[in-house]
Coordinates of all heavy atoms in Angstrom, one line a residue:
M22 N 0.8 -1.1 0.0 CA 0.0 0.0 -0.1 C 0.9 1.3 -0.1 O 1.8 1.5 0.9 CB -0.8 0.0 1.3 CG -2.2 -0.4 1.1 SD -3.2 -0.3 2.7 CE -3.0 -1.9 3.3
E23 N 0.7 2.2 -0.9 CA 1.3 3.4 -1.0 C 0.6 4.4 -0.2 O -0.6 4.8 -0.6 CB 1.6 3.8 -2.4 CG 2.5 5.0 -2.5 CD 2.7 5.5 -4.0 OE1 2.9 4.5 -4.8 OE2 2.7 6.6 -4.3
E24 N 1.1 5.0 0.8 CA 0.5 6.0 1.5 C 0.8 7.4 1.1 O 1.9 7.6 0.8 CB 0.8 5.8 3.0 CG 0.3 4.4 3.6 CD 0.7 4.3 5.1 OE1 1.2 5.3 5.7 OE2 0.5 3.2 5.5
G25 N -0.2 8.2 0.9 CA 0.0 9.7 0.6 C -1.1 10.4 0.8 O -2.2 9.9 1.3
W26 N -1.0 11.8 0.7 CA -2.0 12.7 1.1 C -3.3 12.5 0.2 O -4.4 12.8 0.8 CB -1.6 14.1 0.8 CG -0.6 14.6 1.9 CD1 0.9 14.6 1.7 CD2 -0.8 15.0 3.2 NE1 1.4 15.0 2.9 CE2 0.3 15.3 3.9 CE3 -2.1 15.1 3.9 CZ2 0.5 15.7 5.1 CZ3 -1.9 15.5 5.2 CH2 -0.7 15.8 5.8
S27 N -3.2 12.0 -1.0 CA -4.4 11.9 -2.0 C -5.2 10.7 -1.4 O -6.4 10.6 -1.8 CB -3.9 11.6 -3.3 OG -3.2 10.4 -3.4
R28 N -4.8 10.0 -0.5 CA -5.5 8.7 0.0 C -6.0 9.0 1.5 O -6.5 8.1 2.0 CB -4.7 7.6 0.0 CG -4.1 7.2 -1.4 CD -5.2 6.7 -2.4 NE -5.7 5.5 -1.8 CZ -6.8 4.8 -2.3 NH1 -7.5 5.4 -3.3 NH2 -7.2 3.7 -1.7
I29 N -6.0 10.2 1.9 CA -6.5 10.6 3.2 C -7.9 11.1 3.2 O -8.3 11.8 2.3 CB -5.6 11.7 4.0 CG1 -4.2 11.1 4.2 CG2 -6.3 12.2 5.2 CD1 -3.3 12.0 4.8
V30 N -8.7 10.5 4.0 CA -10.2 10.8 4.1 C -10.5 11.4 5.4 O -10.1 10.9 6.4 CB -11.0 9.5 3.8 CG1 -12.5 9.8 3.9 CG2 -10.6 8.9 2.5
G31 N -11.3 12.5 5.4 CA -11.9 13.1 6.5 C -13.1 12.2 7.0 O -13.8 11.7 6.3
I32 N -13.3 12.3 8.3 CA -14.5 11.5 8.9 C -15.7 12.0 8.3 O -16.6 11.1 8.0 CB -14.5 11.5 10.4 CG1 -15.3 10.4 10.8 CG2 -14.8 12.8 11.0 CD1 -15.2 10.1 12.3
K33 N -16.0 13.2 8.0 CA -17.2 13.7 7.5 C -17.5 13.2 6.1 O -18.6 12.8 5.9 CB -17.3 15.3 7.6 CG -17.5 15.8 8.9 CD -17.7 17.4 8.9 CE -17.8 17.9 10.3 NZ -18.3 19.2 10.3
D34 N -16.4 13.1 5.3 CA -16.5 12.6 4.0 C -16.9 11.1 4.0 O -17.8 10.7 3.4 CB -15.3 12.7 3.1 CG -15.1 14.2 2.7 OD1 -16.1 15.0 2.6 OD2 -13.9 14.7 2.6
L35 N -16.3 10.4 4.9 CA -16.5 8.9 5.2 C -17.9 8.7 5.5 O -18.5 7.8 5.1 CB -15.5 8.4 6.3 CG -15.6 7.0 6.6 CD1 -15.4 6.1 5.4 CD2 -14.7 6.7 7.8
M36 N -18.4 9.5 6.6 CA -19.7 9.4 7.0 C -20.8 9.6 5.9 O -21.8 8.9 5.7 CB -20.0 10.3 8.2 CG -19.2 9.8 9.4 SD -19.4 11.0 10.7 CE -21.1 10.8 11.1
E37 N -20.6 10.7 5.1 CA -21.5 11.0 4.0 C -21.6 9.9 3.0 O -22.6 9.5 2.5 CB -21.1 12.3 3.4 CG -21.4 13.5 4.2 CD -20.9 14.8 3.7 OE1 -20.2 14.8 2.7 OE2 -21.1 15.8 4.3
K38 N -20.4 9.3 2.7 CA -20.3 8.2 1.7 C -21.0 6.9 2.3 O -21.6 6.1 1.5 CB -18.9 7.7 1.4 CG -18.3 8.8 0.5 CD -16.9 8.4 0.1 CE -16.0 9.5 -0.6 NZ -16.6 9.8 -1.9
A39 N -21.1 6.8 3.6 CA -21.7 5.7 4.3 C -23.3 5.9 4.5 O -24.0 5.2 5.0 CB -21.0 5.4 5.6
G40 N -23.7 7.2 4.2 CA -25.1 7.5 4.3 C -25.4 8.0 5.7 O -26.6 7.9 6.2
L41 N -24.4 8.3 6.5 CA -24.6 8.8 7.9 C -24.6 10.4 7.9 O -24.0 11.0 7.0 CB -23.5 8.3 8.8 CG -23.5 6.7 8.9 CD1 -22.3 6.3 9.7 CD2 -24.7 6.2 9.6
D42 N -25.2 10.9 9.0 CA -25.1 12.4 9.1 C -23.9 12.8 9.9 O -23.8 12.6 11.1 CB -26.5 12.9 9.8 CG -26.6 14.3 10.1 OD1 -25.7 15.0 9.6 OD2 -27.5 14.7 10.8
P43 N -23.1 13.5 9.3 CA -21.7 13.9 10.0 C -22.1 14.9 11.2 O -21.2 15.1 12.0 CB -20.9 14.5 9.0 CG -21.6 14.7 7.8 CD -23.0 13.9 7.9
N44 N -23.2 15.5 11.2 CA -23.5 16.5 12.3 C -24.3 15.8 13.4 O -24.5 16.4 14.5 CB -24.3 17.6 11.8 CG -23.6 18.4 10.7 OD1 -22.4 18.8 10.9 ND2 -24.2 18.7 9.6
N45 N -24.5 14.5 13.3 CA -25.3 13.7 14.3 C -24.3 13.1 15.2 O -23.3 12.3 14.8 CB -26.2 12.7 13.6 CG -27.0 11.9 14.6 OD1 -26.3 11.1 15.4 ND2 -28.2 12.0 14.7
K46 N -24.2 13.3 16.5 CA -23.3 12.9 17.5 C -23.3 11.4 17.5 O -22.3 10.7 17.6 CB -23.6 13.5 18.8 CG -22.5 13.2 19.9 CD -22.8 13.8 21.2 CE -21.7 13.5 22.1 NZ -21.9 14.3 23.5
E47 N -24.5 10.7 17.5 CA -24.5 9.2 17.5 C -23.9 8.7 16.3 O -23.2 7.6 16.4 CB -26.1 8.8 17.7 CG -26.6 9.0 19.0 CD -27.0 10.5 19.3 OE1 -27.3 11.2 18.3 OE2 -27.1 10.9 20.4
D48 N -24.2 9.2 15.1 CA -23.6 8.7 13.9 C -22.0 8.9 13.9 O -21.3 8.0 13.5 CB -24.2 9.3 12.7 CG -25.5 8.9 12.3 OD1 -26.0 7.9 12.9 OD2 -26.1 9.5 11.4
F49 N -21.6 10.0 14.5 CA -20.2 10.2 14.6 C -19.6 9.2 15.5 O -18.5 8.6 15.2 CB -19.9 11.6 15.2 CG -18.5 12.1 15.3 CD1 -17.9 12.6 14.3 CD2 -17.8 11.8 16.5 CE1 -16.4 13.0 14.4 CE2 -16.5 12.1 16.6 CZ -15.9 12.7 15.5
N50 N -20.1 9.0 16.6 CA -19.6 8.0 17.7 C -19.7 6.5 17.1 O -18.7 5.8 17.2 CB -20.4 8.0 18.9 CG -20.1 9.3 19.7 OD1 -19.1 9.9 19.6 ND2 -21.0 9.7 20.5
R51 N -20.7 6.3 16.2 CA -20.8 4.9 15.7 C -19.7 4.8 14.6 O -19.1 3.7 14.6 CB -22.2 4.8 14.9 CG -22.4 3.6 14.3 CD -23.7 3.4 13.5 NE -24.8 3.6 14.5 CZ -25.8 4.6 14.3 NH1 -25.8 5.3 13.1 NH2 -26.7 4.8 15.1
T52 N -19.3 5.8 13.9 CA -18.3 5.8 12.9 C -16.9 5.6 13.6 O -16.1 4.7 13.1 CB -18.2 7.0 12.0 OG1 -19.5 7.2 11.5 CG2 -17.1 7.0 10.9
V53 N -16.7 6.3 14.7 CA -15.4 6.2 15.4 C -15.3 4.7 16.0 O -14.3 4.1 15.9 CB -15.3 7.2 16.5 CG1 -14.1 6.9 17.4 CG2 -15.1 8.7 15.9
N54 N -16.4 4.2 16.5 CA -16.4 2.9 17.1 C -16.1 1.8 15.9 O -15.5 0.8 16.2 CB -17.7 2.6 17.8 CG -17.8 3.3 19.2 OD1 -16.8 3.7 19.8 ND2 -19.0 3.6 19.5
W55 N -16.7 2.1 14.8 CA -16.4 1.2 13.6 C -15.0 1.1 13.4 O -14.3 0.1 13.1 CB -17.3 1.6 12.5 CG -17.2 0.7 11.3 CD1 -18.0 -0.4 11.0 CD2 -16.2 0.7 10.1 NE1 -17.6 -1.0 9.9 CE2 -16.5 -0.3 9.3 CE3 -15.2 1.6 9.8 CZ2 -15.8 -0.5 8.2 CZ3 -14.5 1.4 8.7 CH2 -14.8 0.3 7.8
L56 N -14.3 2.3 13.3 CA -12.9 2.4 13.0 C -12.1 1.7 14.2 O -11.2 0.9 13.8 CB -12.4 3.9 12.9 CG -12.9 4.7 11.7 CD1 -12.6 6.1 11.9 CD2 -12.4 4.2 10.5
R57 N -12.4 1.9 15.4 CA -11.7 1.3 16.4 C -11.9 -0.2 16.5 O -10.9 -1.0 16.7 CB -12.2 1.8 17.8 CG -11.6 3.2 18.0 CD -12.1 3.7 19.5 NE -11.5 5.0 19.6 CZ -12.2 6.0 20.2 NH1 -13.4 5.7 20.6 NH2 -11.6 7.1 20.4
S58 N -13.1 -0.7 16.3 CA -13.4 -2.2 16.4 C -12.7 -2.9 15.2 O -12.4 -4.2 15.4 CB -14.9 -2.5 16.3 OG -15.4 -2.1 15.0
R59 N -12.4 -2.3 14.1 CA -11.6 -2.9 13.0 C -10.1 -2.5 13.1 O -9.4 -2.8 12.2 CB -12.2 -2.5 11.7 CG -13.5 -3.3 11.4 CD -14.5 -2.6 10.7 NE -15.8 -3.3 10.6 CZ -16.8 -3.2 11.5 NH1 -16.6 -2.6 12.6 NH2 -17.8 -4.0 11.4
K60 N -9.7 -1.9 14.1 CA -8.4 -1.6 14.4 C -7.8 -0.7 13.2 O -6.6 -0.9 12.7 CB -7.5 -2.9 14.6 CG -7.9 -3.5 15.9 CD -7.0 -4.7 16.2 CE -7.4 -5.3 17.5 NZ -8.1 -6.5 17.6
I61 N -8.5 0.2 12.6 CA -8.1 1.0 11.5 C -7.5 2.2 12.3 O -8.2 3.0 12.9 CB -9.3 1.4 10.7 CG1 -9.9 0.2 10.0 CG2 -8.8 2.5 9.7 CD1 -11.1 0.5 9.2
P62 N -6.3 2.6 12.0 CA -5.6 3.8 12.6 C -6.2 5.0 12.1 O -6.4 5.2 10.8 CB -4.1 3.6 12.2 CG -4.0 2.7 11.0 CD -5.3 1.7 11.2
F63 N -6.4 6.0 12.9 CA -6.8 7.3 12.5 C -6.2 8.3 13.4 O -5.6 8.1 14.4 CB -8.3 7.4 12.6 CG -9.0 7.2 13.9 CD1 -9.1 8.3 14.9 CD2 -9.4 5.9 14.4 CE1 -9.6 8.1 16.1 CE2 -10.0 5.7 15.6 CZ -10.0 6.8 16.4
A64 N -6.2 9.6 12.9 CA -5.5 10.7 13.6 C -6.7 11.7 13.8 O -7.4 12.1 13.0 CB -4.5 11.3 12.7
S65 N -6.7 12.1 15.1 CA -7.6 13.1 15.7 C -7.0 14.5 15.4 O -5.8 14.6 15.7 CB -8.0 13.0 17.1 OG -8.7 11.7 17.2
I66 N -7.8 15.3 14.9 CA -7.4 16.7 14.8 C -8.2 17.7 15.6 O -9.5 17.6 15.5 CB -7.4 17.1 13.3 CG1 -6.6 16.3 12.6 CG2 -7.3 18.6 13.1 CD1 -6.5 16.6 11.0
G67 N -7.6 18.5 16.4 CA -8.4 19.3 17.3 C -9.1 18.6 18.5 O -8.7 17.5 18.7
K68 N -10.1 19.2 19.1 CA -10.7 18.4 20.2 C -12.1 18.9 20.2 O -12.5 20.0 19.6 CB -10.0 18.8 21.6 CG -9.9 20.3 21.9 CD -9.2 20.6 23.0 CE -8.9 22.0 23.3 NZ -8.1 22.3 24.4
A69 N -12.9 18.1 20.9 CA -14.4 18.5 21.0 C -14.5 19.6 22.0 O -14.1 19.6 23.2 CB -15.1 17.3 21.5
V70 N -15.2 20.7 21.6 CA -15.3 21.9 22.5 C -16.8 22.3 22.3 O -17.3 22.6 21.2 CB -14.4 23.0 22.0 CG1 -14.6 24.2 22.9 CG2 -13.0 22.6 22.1
R71 N -17.6 22.5 23.4 CA -18.9 23.0 23.3 C -19.7 22.4 22.3 O -20.5 23.1 21.5 CB -18.8 24.5 23.2 CG -18.1 25.3 24.3 CD -18.3 26.7 24.2 NE -17.4 27.4 25.1 CZ -16.8 28.5 24.8 NH1 -17.0 29.2 23.7 NH2 -16.0 29.0 25.6
G72 N -19.8 21.0 22.3 CA -20.6 20.4 21.4 C -20.1 20.3 19.9 O -20.7 19.5 19.1
R73 N -19.0 20.9 19.7 CA -18.4 20.7 18.3 C -17.5 19.4 18.4 O -16.9 19.1 19.4 CB -17.5 21.9 18.0 CG -18.2 23.2 17.9 CD -17.3 24.3 17.6 NE -17.1 24.3 16.2 CZ -16.3 25.2 15.6 NH1 -15.6 26.0 16.3 NH2 -16.1 25.0 14.3
Q74 N -17.5 18.7 17.3 CA -16.7 17.4 17.2 C -15.4 17.6 16.7 O -15.2 18.6 15.9 CB -17.6 16.5 16.4 CG -18.9 16.2 16.9 CD -19.8 15.6 15.9 OE1 -19.6 15.6 14.6 NE2 -21.0 14.9 16.3
R75 N -14.4 16.8 17.1 CA -13.2 16.8 16.7 C -13.0 16.3 15.3 O -14.0 15.6 14.8 CB -12.2 16.0 17.5 CG -12.5 14.5 17.6 CD -11.8 14.0 18.7 NE -12.1 12.5 18.7 CZ -13.1 11.8 19.2 NH1 -14.1 12.6 19.7 NH2 -13.3 10.5 19.1
G76 N -12.0 16.7 14.6 CA -11.9 16.1 13.1 C -11.1 14.9 13.2 O -10.2 14.6 14.2
I77 N -11.3 14.0 12.3 CA -10.6 12.7 12.2 C -10.1 12.4 10.7 O -10.9 12.7 9.8 CB -11.4 11.5 12.7 CG1 -11.6 11.7 14.2 CG2 -10.7 10.2 12.4 CD1 -12.4 10.6 14.9
L78 N -8.8 12.1 10.6 CA -8.4 11.6 9.2 C -8.0 10.2 9.3 O -7.5 9.7 10.3 CB -7.1 12.5 8.9 CG -7.4 14.0 8.8 CD1 -6.1 14.7 8.5 CD2 -8.4 14.3 7.8
V79 N -8.3 9.5 8.2 CA -8.0 8.1 8.1 C -7.5 7.8 6.7 O -7.9 8.5 5.7 CB -9.3 7.3 8.5 CG1 -10.4 7.5 7.6 CG2 -8.9 5.7 8.6
L80 N -6.7 6.8 6.4 CA -6.2 6.5 5.1 C -7.3 5.6 4.4 O -7.8 4.6 5.0 CB -4.9 5.7 5.1 CG -3.6 6.5 5.5 CD1 -2.4 5.6 5.8 CD2 -3.4 7.6 4.5
A81 N -7.6 5.9 3.2 CA -8.6 5.3 2.4 C -8.3 3.7 2.2 O -9.0 2.9 2.2 CB -8.9 6.0 1.1
D82 N -6.9 3.7 2.0 CA -6.3 2.2 2.0 C -6.8 1.3 3.1 O -7.1 0.2 2.8 CB -4.9 2.2 1.7 CG -4.5 2.9 0.4 OD1 -5.3 2.9 -0.6 OD2 -3.3 3.4 0.4
H83 N -6.8 1.8 4.3 CA -7.0 1.0 5.5 C -8.6 0.8 5.5 O -9.0 -0.4 5.9 CB -6.6 1.8 6.6 CG -5.2 1.9 6.9 ND1 -4.6 2.8 7.8 CD2 -4.1 1.2 6.3 CE1 -3.3 2.7 7.6 NE2 -2.9 1.8 6.8
I84 N -9.3 1.7 5.1 CA -10.9 1.5 5.0 C -11.1 0.4 4.0 O -11.9 -0.6 4.2 CB -11.6 2.8 4.7 CG1 -11.3 3.8 5.9 CG2 -13.0 2.5 4.5 CD1 -11.8 5.2 5.5
E85 N -10.5 0.6 2.8 CA -10.8 -0.4 1.8 C -10.4 -1.9 2.1 O -11.1 -2.8 2.0 CB -9.9 0.0 0.6 CG -10.1 -0.9 -0.6 CD -9.3 -0.4 -1.9 OE1 -8.6 0.6 -1.8 OE2 -9.5 -1.1 -2.9
A86 N -9.2 -2.0 2.8 CA -8.8 -3.3 3.4 C -9.8 -3.9 4.3 O -10.1 -5.0 4.4 CB -7.4 -3.2 3.9
A87 N -10.3 -3.1 5.2 CA -11.3 -3.5 6.3 C -12.5 -4.0 5.6 O -13.1 -4.9 6.1 CB -11.5 -2.4 7.3
I88 N -12.9 -3.2 4.6 CA -14.3 -3.6 3.9 C -14.0 -5.0 3.2 O -15.0 -5.8 3.3 CB -14.7 -2.4 3.0 CG1 -15.1 -1.2 3.8 CG2 -15.8 -2.9 2.1 CD1 -15.4 0.0 3.0
K89 N -12.9 -5.0 2.5 CA -12.7 -6.3 1.8 C -12.6 -7.5 2.8 O -13.1 -8.5 2.6 CB -11.4 -6.2 1.0 CG -11.5 -5.4 -0.2 CD -10.2 -5.3 -1.0 CE -10.3 -4.4 -2.3 NZ -9.1 -4.3 -3.0
K90 N -11.9 -7.2 4.0 CA -11.8 -8.3 4.9 C -13.2 -8.7 5.4 O -13.5 -9.8 5.7 CB -11.0 -7.9 6.1 CG -10.7 -8.9 7.1 CD -9.7 -8.3 8.1 CE -9.5 -9.4 9.3 NZ -8.6 -9.0 10.3
G91 N -14.1 -7.6 5.7 CA -15.4 -7.9 6.1 C -16.3 -8.7 5.2 O -17.2 -9.4 5.5
R92 N -16.0 -8.5 3.9 CA -16.7 -9.2 2.8 C -16.0 -10.6 2.6 O -16.5 -11.3 1.6 CB -16.7 -8.4 1.6 CG -17.5 -7.2 1.7 CD -17.5 -6.4 0.3 NE -18.4 -5.2 0.5 CZ -18.3 -4.2 -0.4 NH1 -17.5 -4.2 -1.4 NH2 -19.1 -3.2 -0.2
G93 N -15.0 -11.0 3.3 CA -14.4 -12.3 3.0 C -13.4 -12.2 1.9 O -12.9 -13.2 1.5
G94 N -13.0 -11.0 1.4 CA -11.9 -10.8 0.5 C -10.5 -11.0 1.0 O -10.3 -10.9 2.2
E95 N -9.6 -11.1 0.2 CA -8.1 -11.1 0.6 C -7.8 -12.2 1.6 O -7.9 -12.2 2.7 CB -7.7 -9.8 1.1 CG -7.5 -8.8 -0.1 CD -6.9 -7.5 0.3 OE1 -5.9 -7.5 1.1 OE2 -7.3 -6.4 -0.1

């Protein structure tokens, strides 16, 4: 896997592609738990302040590998 900036995905983009609402706290937590349960490394940016959620970046290659593994691929 070649890692680079072009393969980095923000959590809001990831959530929108999955059909979740990035402004919904429960959907946000569900997404973070999904990443953690599949041991997908991610980087937090900023911190949650006054109801605002922190940003998270994850490599698209890691998401792709987790989905393929979940489908029985590789």
Side-chain angles (χ1 to χ4, degrees):
M22 260 185 264
E23 183 177 324
E24 297 179 8
W26 286 103
S27 64
R28 300 292 294 168
I29 293 177
V30 179
I32 195 166
K33 288 187 177 188
D34 292 334
L35 176 62
M36 291 175 67
E37 287 172 356
K38 288 182 188 297
L41 300 172
D42 179 5
N44 297 314
N45 181 292
K46 187 175 182 177
E47 287 79 22
D48 283 353
F49 182 87
N50 290 336
R51 183 179 301 129
T52 304
V53 172
N54 288 334
W55 185 88
L56 293 170
R57 285 185 180 138
S58 69
R59 282 149 185 87
K60 297 182 172 109
I61 298 174
F63 60 88
S65 293
I66 296 179
K68 57 185 174 182
V70 178
R71 294 188 194 144
R73 299 181 78 189
Q74 298 164 344
R75 64 193 182 279
I77 291 179
L78 298 177
V79 62
L80 286 174
D82 294 332
H83 292 165
I84 296 167
E85 184 179 358
I88 291 170
K89 284 181 180 177
K90 184 177 179 183
R92 291 182 179 164
E95 288 188 38

